[in-house]
Amino acid sequence: RKFRKKFAQEWQRKLSIFESGSKEKILEFLVENSGTNGFELGMVIQRIGISPEDVDEFVKSCKNLILAGNRIFSRSVINSLVERSFSIISKFHKEFPLLPGINKESLRTKLGVSEDLFSLVFKQIISSGKFVEREGIIREKEFEPYVKGTKFESLFKKVKKAIEDAEFRPLEVKEL
């Protein structure tokens, strides 16, 4: 019975959105429920009943929605992806301190989003001022690769010493 009651309340809430008659609220609801897949722009005509000429302008007038390509995304979905990106980049720096940052495409893959959606997320990551991108690599603004305190520190010292001892002679792999 609890399930039915909770289920009924949820459906009543959803139906009230449609009963309100507000095309903006209906579209925001549909887009929010589409998550990271976004809502196809062409479906606005069918679901909301707006003429094809007015669709672009209507979507742009909705403050909580963003148009990317032929898909509409919710600002809240984009914001949560930006936060996840921050976490992924920071974790990457901790796991791989010798690397300058994470590859843009690797970040997109970890987020599991389309290129259109990632371009929106990426713009927000960079505009936050906390991260920079160079040659397809994203890193925290203040991050510099480091060896000290990592498992590679002793190996780095050994290779550095071998190079210094060899002076101008090229080293063989065995010597490293």
Side-chain angles (χ1 to χ4, degrees), residues 12-28:
Q12 286 173 350
R13 184 188 69 78
K14 290 178 180 180
L15 285 173
S16 70
I17 293 169
F18 289 93
E19 287 175 342
S20 74
S22 168
K23 291 180 179 184
E24 290 87 2
K25 286 183 180 180
I26 293 170
L27 182 59
E28 286 178 5

Side-chain angles (χ1 to χ4, degrees), residues 118-154:
F118 183 71
S119 69
L120 292 173
V121 171
F122 178 71
K123 286 176 189 173
Q124 287 201 9
I125 291 169
I126 299 304
S127 69
S128 73
K130 299 176 185 177
F131 300 88
V132 293
E133 184 261 342
R134 184 172 179 215
E135 297 177 4
I137 302 294
I138 305 169
R139 66 174 173 82
E140 291 175 346
K141 195 172 190 174
E142 305 300 320
F143 179 79
E144 290 294 328
Y146 61 93
V147 175
K148 192 170 184 165
T150 68
K151 61 184 177 183
F152 302 105
E153 186 174 14
S154 61

Side-chain angles (χ1 to χ4, degrees), residues 85-103 106-107 110 137-140 143 146:
S85 298
F86 290 176
S87 168
I88 290 169
I89 296 167
S90 296
K91 184 178 176 186
F92 185 88
H93 285 323
K94 288 179 181 127
E95 288 180 23
F96 305 100
L98 293 175
L99 297 176
I102 187 168
N103 182 293
S106 297
L107 178 60
K110 285 182 184 271
I137 302 294
I138 305 169
R139 66 174 173 82
E140 291 175 346
F143 179 79
Y146 61 93

